[in-house]
Amino acid sequence: MKTLMFGTPCTCVIFCLVYCIISLIIWLMYTDNLSRATVDFGYFSIEHLGELGKEAHLQMTKRDLVDAEERFTLYEYNAWLSERIPLKRTLEDYRDAKCLNISYGSEGKVTASIIIATQLEHPHTLLRTIHSIEAQSSSYIITEIILVHEGTADEDVFEYIAYNLPMVIQLEVHNSKGLIHARLAGAKKATGDVLIFLNSHMEVTKGWLPPLLEPIMLDRKSATQPVMDAISRETFAYQKVAEPEQMAFDWQLERIWLPLDLFSMKNLPNPFASSQLEGRVFAIDRNWFWKLGGWDEGLKDNGGDALDLSLKVWQCGGRILTIPCSRVGLIYKRDEAEAQLAPNRNRNKQVKKVDQSTGTIVSSNPDLRALSQVLIH
């Protein structure tokens, strides 16, 4: 038998096997790269822009101005600028100094599932929301982040999250009846002890999570919410609210904000009771949420959901607490900002404290004044 050019037949077989393995590895690497998201969401980002929550400003060309105006009309905030702020920007610590000395027994004892429902959200803003959660939350607490796309997800966003944010579980809900229906779909997939619902255009800050979970660990019938700061929809500056307020609703079931009572003011930054959940971000025990019946599935959009769940909490012996040591920033879109200010602008809906000893609050709406007097006395 003639000697093969590679030596013995055994050597030839080994060489062929090695060649095939190397070729397979190269092929897998190549095809994997083809399947990865081709969009670099950090392409336009400018290092340190908007860092520490500071307002961002850039020189703009005429073309930029036209593009920015179109995006502002579509998303109701400065999406053009959002694309230029890093996805992982840092924020200051906005907590009261007293919060830094508080230790929480819930750490390591309670797990949480974060649920975000999104509908046509600007990609960079959505991704910044998720990155802020990842950066400011312990992986020992969060079991998963469930992102529910109402309708078909943006393919580039879906793939970016799949390859860069493994903690995120993505769902596509077709034929959805609105964001509340999408939130319910996410809640059904959750496995954590506590459900935390978040909006898709916000950023969480340092230490936001343990204070939310602590009251729920002590009393599972507690629903908790952070203090809601604002993120400017024009400059993305983080704007800390001067003083926390109590949320309530008037006789027409419209949301109103009231100054804190004297007891709550003296005890800050301890949690204080609120009559209503803000709705955009809150935490609640998963089992109790379903025992309450969740949300009415007939609800389509934000607004009524907060009142619906708040009434269920109170009627079933629960309580709603606002947690000053937990702070998150929300981009108030144009319509959200108008709704936020509406009760304060309308003189016919001014709220008065009519019985300071009991804290009874009624509306001065002329049509309901007689009824309010009956309820008070």
Side-chain angles (χ1 to χ4, degrees):
M1 179 182 293
K2 293 183 179 180
T3 304
L4 297 175
M5 62 180 296
F6 297 110
T8 65
C10 183
T11 304
C12 181
V13 171
I14 293 173
F15 176 83
C16 291
L17 285 174
V18 171
Y19 176 81
C20 290
I21 291 172
I22 293 174
S23 299
L24 179 62
I25 292 173
I26 293 174
W27 181 81
L28 288 173
M29 291 174 62
Y30 178 72
T31 54
D32 185 54
N33 285 333
L34 283 179
S35 66
R36 288 180 183 272
T38 57
V39 173
D40 178 9
F41 286 102
Y43 181 80
F44 290 109
S45 67
I46 299 172
E47 190 176 7
H48 303 308
L49 184 66
E51 201 75 358
L52 298 177
K54 298 185 184 302
E55 61 182 18
H57 296 282
L58 289 174
Q59 293 289 334
M60 302 175 70
T61 65
K62 290 183 178 179
R63 177 66 180 271
D64 291 336
L65 289 170
V66 172
D67 187 27
E69 182 61 31
E70 290 177 351
R71 290 170 183 265
F72 201 101
T73 301
L74 178 61
Y75 295 107
E76 299 187 69
Y77 56 81
N78 194 345
W80 182 91
L81 183 61
S82 181
E83 292 177 2
R84 285 148 180 83
I85 296 174
L87 297 179
K88 300 180 181 180
R89 77 158 173 173
T90 59
L91 297 174
E92 292 185 13
D93 190 340
Y94 301 98
R95 294 173 294 176
D96 186 289
K98 295 178 182 177
C99 296
L100 306 182
N101 299 321
I102 300 175
S103 58
Y104 298 98
S106 59
E107 295 190 63
K109 297 180 181 179
V110 178
T111 60
S113 296
I114 294 179
I115 300 162
I116 303 171
T118 180
Q119 181 186 43
L120 299 176
E121 189 66 82
H122 181 248
H124 295 74
T125 308
L126 171 62
L127 294 176
R128 191 175 299 109
T129 297
I130 299 173
H131 277 299
S132 77
I133 296 169
E134 184 183 55
Q136 302 296 348
S137 311
S138 170
S139 59
Y140 294 103
I141 297 177
I142 297 179
T143 57
E144 69 250 327
I145 300 172
I146 301 175
L147 178 62
V148 187
H149 302 273
E150 188 186 2
T152 303
D154 181 292
E155 184 177 347
D156 293 323
V157 172
F158 195 96
E159 291 186 356
Y160 175 91
I161 291 173
Y163 285 104
N164 295 283
L165 295 163
M167 186 181 289
V168 179
I169 298 172
Q170 299 188 83
L171 303 176
E172 289 183 333
V173 179
H174 300 283
N175 300 319
S176 174
K177 300 176 183 178
L179 286 176
I180 304 307
H181 188 262
R183 276 185 160 190
L184 285 170
K188 291 174 183 176
K189 292 287 185 180
T191 61
D193 301 321
V194 175
L195 303 177
I196 302 178
F197 295 93
L198 266 76
N199 206 308
S200 57
H201 44 276
M202 58 177 29
E203 294 175 60
V204 302
T205 66
K206 189 172 183 178
W208 75 288
L209 189 52
L212 279 182
L213 300 178
E214 187 76 7
I216 298 174
M217 186 192 75
L218 299 175
D219 178 5
R220 74 183 190 92
K221 290 188 176 182
S222 297
T224 60
Q225 57 190 359
V227 170
M228 187 79 74
D229 295 320
I231 296 175
S232 169
R233 65 179 183 272
E234 284 90 14
T235 68
F236 280 78
Y238 192 100
Q239 301 165 335
K240 180 180 177 180
V241 297
E243 292 182 356
E245 295 177 307
Q246 288 175 315
M247 186 172 297
F249 51 89
D250 63 17
W251 289 104
Q252 294 179 327
L253 302 183
E254 292 190 17
R255 185 179 298 170
I256 55 176
W257 287 261
L258 305 171
L260 289 185
D261 59 84
L262 187 60
F263 176 81
S264 297
M265 283 292 294
K266 287 183 176 180
N267 283 276
L268 288 176
N270 291 322
F272 58 86
S274 292
S275 301
Q276 183 179 348
L277 288 166
E278 206 282 341
R280 295 180 180 91
V281 51
F282 69 94
I284 189 169
D285 179 87
R286 177 167 58 91
N287 291 329
W288 196 50
F289 176 78
W290 291 118
K291 189 174 182 179
L292 292 174
W295 284 293
D296 184 330
E297 294 196 9
L299 294 169
K300 293 184 178 181
D301 298 309
N302 292 328
D305 58 307
L307 184 58
D308 172 64
L309 191 58
S310 298
L311 292 174
K312 289 176 179 177
V313 168
W314 287 115
Q315 289 175 321
C316 295
R319 60 177 182 168
I320 298 170
L321 297 175
T322 299
I323 315 297
C325 287
S326 176
R327 309 188 78 99
V328 303
L330 172 72
I331 302 172
Y332 285 98
K333 295 185 178 182
R334 184 180 293 161
D335 60 337
E336 291 175 322
E338 291 174 357
Q340 192 83 348
L341 296 174
N344 300 327
R345 290 204 307 265
N346 192 333
R347 294 183 179 180
N348 294 325
K349 296 177 183 176
Q350 292 298 315
V351 178
K352 296 181 180 180
K353 185 178 289 187
V354 296
D355 190 339
Q356 192 169 9
S357 62
T358 61
T360 303
I361 306 297
V362 298
S363 169
S364 60
N365 188 309
D367 297 332
L368 297 172
R369 185 178 294 126
L371 176 60
S372 68
Q373 293 300 317
V374 172
L375 293 175
I376 292 168
H377 299 292

